[in-house]
Amino acid sequence: GQGWAQGAASNGLGGYTRALMARLQGLSPTDIAARGLPLFADDLTTEDSSESGVSPSPATIASRAAGTVDEENEMDSAAIKEMLIDLSPTHRFAPYEALVAPVRTLIGRLRLVFQSAEAREREREWLPLRASGELDENRLVDGVVGEKLIYRRRGVAAVRQGSQQRKPKRVLFAVDCSRSMGRGNGWDGRLTRMGQAVVMLLEALHGMAHKFDYAIIGHGGGSACVPLVDFGSPPRTDEEKYEIIQRMYSVAGSNVTGDTTLEAARQAAVKVLEKEADDYFVFIFSDANLGRYGVAPSSLAAALTPDPRVHACAIFIAEPEAADWLAKEMPAGRAHLALDPARLPLIFQQIFASVVEH
């Protein structure tokens, strides 16, 4: 019961065991999220040390939990997953709702940014009230009384807020699913933040296919392109969104050591240009753990600029010192720090505004 769970949870154990203890004590997914604990059974990915197929008893789990962190990581992942599912009859939806709740306000802000993104492609038209150009017949009377601005010229009109797009923008988000994301989540919650960021994107872009055609891929040591959301096929239900987040967590928990950030950026630039669009964007999310693999700021900047039609940048969500150094060494506008998901709406607003201005 609660006695052994509370005792084990007080021994300074890792987030995975604390999550299990919380679920066994009857905490709701919302309470678990509020405490910064993993929400999914797949978060508990470990080496399977049981061949018997028999779920361990609470006493067995408690005895394992009282050991070292290494012993904790040897717990039977299949048994834990089965227990968590059994303890949560609504597990298919409740965890996703628990992820949405903490960022609901941020989702609203980000959605407003996407809604306000202006059309890049605009037609030339007659611009009135000019001091030179072709005489505007509608201003003849004004000219008689001395008005100077009686001419018109062909040009591109000033951007109107929320002007209509003839084609949607194509956007590709490459999210970090590397081994360091899974390993580092216990230190600073980086994978949890990445999950929150993806939830914000899924919710903010919901129902906006007329403005944005987007895809999401994962990148890590095992692959530079793990499909999570395909272009033209955005998730429509909470269940589909839940599966995307769960898959992202699962990939991060099982990835091999290595880094494919540069290759992910190159592939993303090619993939986003496969279909004509109003504009093209690539956003590479990373935990900034790049120096370990010899990735220099200049190399990342080059990978983000293979084609002038694509507006690409990196968004760093962890390792503050490394992230700050990378951002300062890269060209202006190519790197942003989002150590807090609350920064994302402002970052996207700045990026879209800079594209229109140029």
Side-chain angles (χ1 to χ4, degrees):
Q2 295 185 1
W4 67 267
Q6 291 172 344
S10 66
N11 286 332
L13 301 175
Y16 298 150
T17 297
R18 293 198 307 273
L20 175 61
M21 303 309 169
R23 294 297 289 272
L24 293 177
Q25 293 180 73
L27 293 180
S28 69
T30 301
D31 293 331
I32 295 173
R35 299 185 182 198
L37 303 178
L39 289 167
F40 305 110
D42 283 352
D43 291 353
L44 310 179
T45 301
T46 57
E47 295 294 328
D48 187 354
S49 60
S50 172
E51 298 180 357
S52 66
V54 178
S55 299
S57 67
T60 301
I61 296 179
S63 65
R64 291 178 180 176
T68 65
V69 173
D70 289 338
E71 291 172 337
E72 175 189 345
N73 289 337
E74 294 174 358
M75 294 172 67
D76 187 343
S77 61
I80 295 174
K81 182 173 182 178
E82 182 178 352
M83 290 176 70
L84 292 180
I85 291 176
D86 288 344
L87 289 166
S88 180
T90 58
H91 69 279
R92 298 183 69 82
F93 299 102
Y96 182 75
E97 286 300 321
L99 280 178
V100 171
V103 293
R104 196 176 302 279
T105 299
L106 298 178
I107 289 170
R109 295 175 187 171
L110 185 58
R111 184 170 180 82
L112 182 60
V113 169
F114 287 140
Q115 287 175 333
S116 302
E118 294 150 349
R120 175 74 166 174
E121 182 182 35
R122 300 189 299 277
E123 296 182 354
R124 291 171 61 83
E125 58 185 68
W126 285 110
L127 306 178
L129 302 175
R130 305 293 152 170
S132 62
E134 181 178 319
L135 183 63
D136 188 345
E137 297 178 355
N138 296 321
R139 305 284 292 175
L140 293 178
V141 175
D142 297 317
V144 172
V145 298
E147 175 62 53
K148 302 297 184 182
L149 303 179
I150 60 173
Y151 300 93
R152 63 178 185 171
R153 289 185 304 186
R154 295 288 290 181
V156 177
V159 178
R160 302 182 185 90
Q161 188 75 5
S163 53
Q164 185 65 37
Q165 293 176 199
R166 294 193 298 174
K167 299 181 180 69
K169 302 178 188 296
R170 277 173 68 88
V171 186
L172 195 149
F173 303 99
V175 301
D176 197 339
C177 296
S178 63
R179 186 180 181 89
S180 62
M181 288 290 288
R183 185 174 58 245
N185 196 53
W187 308 333
D188 58 17
R190 62 186 66 182
L191 184 57
T192 298
R193 285 199 301 279
M194 188 72 265
Q196 289 178 329
V198 173
V199 167
M200 289 172 61
L201 294 172
L202 295 176
E203 291 300 309
L205 290 168
H206 185 76
M208 298 183 66
H210 63 292
K211 288 182 71 72
F212 292 93
D213 182 13
Y214 74 94
I216 302 178
I217 63 172
H219 64 91
S223 174
C225 183
V226 178
L228 296 175
V229 178
D230 294 329
F231 280 113
S233 302
R236 301 184 183 279
T237 66
D238 283 358
E239 182 176 17
E240 292 173 347
K241 295 170 187 174
Y242 169 86
E243 291 172 353
I244 292 166
I245 304 299
Q246 190 177 43
R247 175 165 169 72
M248 186 188 77
Y249 270 58
S250 179
V251 171
S254 60
N255 229 326
V256 299
T257 300
D259 186 84
T260 57
T261 304
L262 300 183
E263 184 59 27
R266 298 187 190 103
Q267 290 190 27
V270 173
K271 191 175 184 64
V272 79
L273 289 170
E274 289 178 348
K275 186 176 180 180
E276 188 176 357
D278 176 74
D279 219 339
Y280 307 93
F281 294 89
V282 168
F283 300 102
I284 306 293
F285 286 87
S286 169
D287 66 358
N289 186 34
L290 302 178
R292 177 182 179 184
Y293 303 100
V295 178
S298 57
S299 300
L300 181 55
L304 291 171
T305 55
D307 193 301
R309 292 173 294 174
V310 180
H311 311 288
C313 69
I315 299 177
F316 300 119
I317 63 170
E319 304 285 353
E321 293 183 1
D324 186 60
W325 175 74
L326 286 165
K328 289 179 178 178
E329 293 295 318
M330 293 174 65
R334 291 296 176 186
H336 303 268
L337 273 64
L339 304 177
D340 184 337
R343 287 269 304 152
L344 288 177
L346 179 60
I347 289 173
F348 284 112
Q349 183 180 39
Q350 292 173 340
I351 292 170
F352 291 138
S354 66
V355 168
V356 171
E357 290 172 359
H358 293 86

